[in-house]
Every structure is written in structure tokens, then in C-alpha cells.
């Protein structure tokens, strides 16, 4: 059974940092894009960052590039999102997601930041940035 468990959210002041963790099980990391999405109240879910552990490649939304860093510990099947210089507009529920390489990227898959390509989702963790 595929499971994704996100944790690490909380309340932080503007300019602060948080580290989100995603514990994954039930699938082979090598065959998936592992990504973070977020959804603010009244807004659509948006892609924040993604990685392919096989090639150690990463992608970031323009709004977080330079502030957020995605990483993974493949032995532990953990994916992390280090978030620095947080802003009030980063407030959202953050989800980790796994999308097969058949459905994300490449010639026929969805873009990494499209929810359409993702087969599995964690339960989300709330991040609140106060001004």
C-alpha cells in the first residue's frame, strides 16, 4: 500500500524557516516524481517543488526558487522541503505527492507542477506565516 505522510508544518513569523518532511512507503522512489504542492484558502493547489531522486534533478516554482530546497534520503524514503525566508503568501496546506514517470514529465506526462499527473497524495500539513 502506497502511503505518504507529511509533517513539520507550523506557525512561523515572516522571514523564518520551517522544514517539512514526507515519509513515503509502498513504492519505488526511482519510478516516481516526488513533489510538494500547496493550497491556500480559496485557491487552487499549486506545485511548489519536485525531484527525481534517480537523476537528482529538482524543479521549483518561481515564487519559491532561491528560498526553498527539496531533498531526499532515499535509504529512509524521506523527502524534505526546507523553507527559508518565509512570507505570509506562503501560508497554505502543504502536500507531498508521488507521480509515476509514466504520468509526470517526459513527452507524454503532465508537467511536474500539474496535479493531474500525481497518483498518490499525503494528508497535508499546515504552514502559517504571520506578518
Amino acid at each position: 500500500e502506497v502511503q505518504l505522510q507529511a509533517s513539520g508544518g507550523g506557525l512561523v513569523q515572516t522571514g523564518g524557516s520551517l522544514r517539512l518532511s514526507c515519509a513515503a512507503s509502498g513504492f519505488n522512489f526511482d519510478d516516481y516524481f516526488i513533489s510538494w504542492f500547496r493550497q491556500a484558502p480559496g485557491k487552487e493547489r499549486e506545485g511548489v517543488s519536485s525531484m527525481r531522486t534517480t537523476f537528482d534533478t529538482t524543479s521549483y516554482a518561481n515564487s519559491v526558487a532561491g528560498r526553498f530546497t527539496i531533498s531526499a534520503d532515499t535509504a529512509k524514503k524521506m523527502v524534505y522541503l526546507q523553507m527559508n525566508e518565509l512570507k505570509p503568501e506562503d501560508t497554505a496546506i502543504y502536500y507531498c505527492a508521488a507521480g509515476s514517470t509514466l504520468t509526470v514529465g517526459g513527452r507524454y506526462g503532465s508537467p511536474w507542477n500539474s496535479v493531474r499527473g500525481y497518483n498518490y497524495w499525503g494528508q497535508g500539513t499546515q504552514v502559517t506565516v504571520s506578518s
Side-chain angles (χ1 to χ4, degrees):
E1 179 186 5
V2 174
Q3 288 191 335
L4 295 166
Q5 182 78 27
S7 61
L11 174 64
V12 64
Q13 291 185 334
T14 296
S17 298
L18 281 174
R19 187 194 195 205
L20 305 184
S21 300
C22 177
S25 62
F27 64 96
N28 186 353
F29 258 27
D30 291 344
D31 298 330
Y32 285 79
F33 284 79
I34 310 297
S35 302
W36 288 95
F37 285 76
R38 68 185 181 187
Q39 188 166 19
K43 294 188 176 182
E44 293 188 352
R45 194 168 297 188
E46 63 173 354
V48 174
S49 184
S50 181
M51 75 179 306
R52 278 289 315 276
T53 57
T54 304
F55 304 110
D56 200 25
T57 55
T58 59
S59 300
Y60 296 93
N62 289 338
S63 59
V64 307
R67 300 187 297 123
F68 291 11
T69 303
I70 191 170
S71 62
D73 183 333
T74 55
K76 295 181 179 180
K77 283 203 164 181
M78 295 291 296
V79 179
Y80 306 99
L81 186 68
Q82 178 65 43
M83 307 186 295
N84 298 328
E85 300 176 37
L86 283 163
K87 305 175 181 179
E89 51 263 44
D90 295 318
T91 295
I93 299 174
Y94 283 70
Y95 300 88
C96 58
S100 164
T101 54
L102 297 177
T103 58
V104 179
R107 179 176 294 185
Y108 303 108
S110 299
W112 71 265
N113 57 351
S114 169
V115 297
R116 291 176 53 192
Y118 289 83
N119 314 90
Y120 307 107
W121 293 85
Q123 85 290 1
T125 184
Q126 176 71 49
V127 172
T128 303
V129 184
S130 63
S131 56

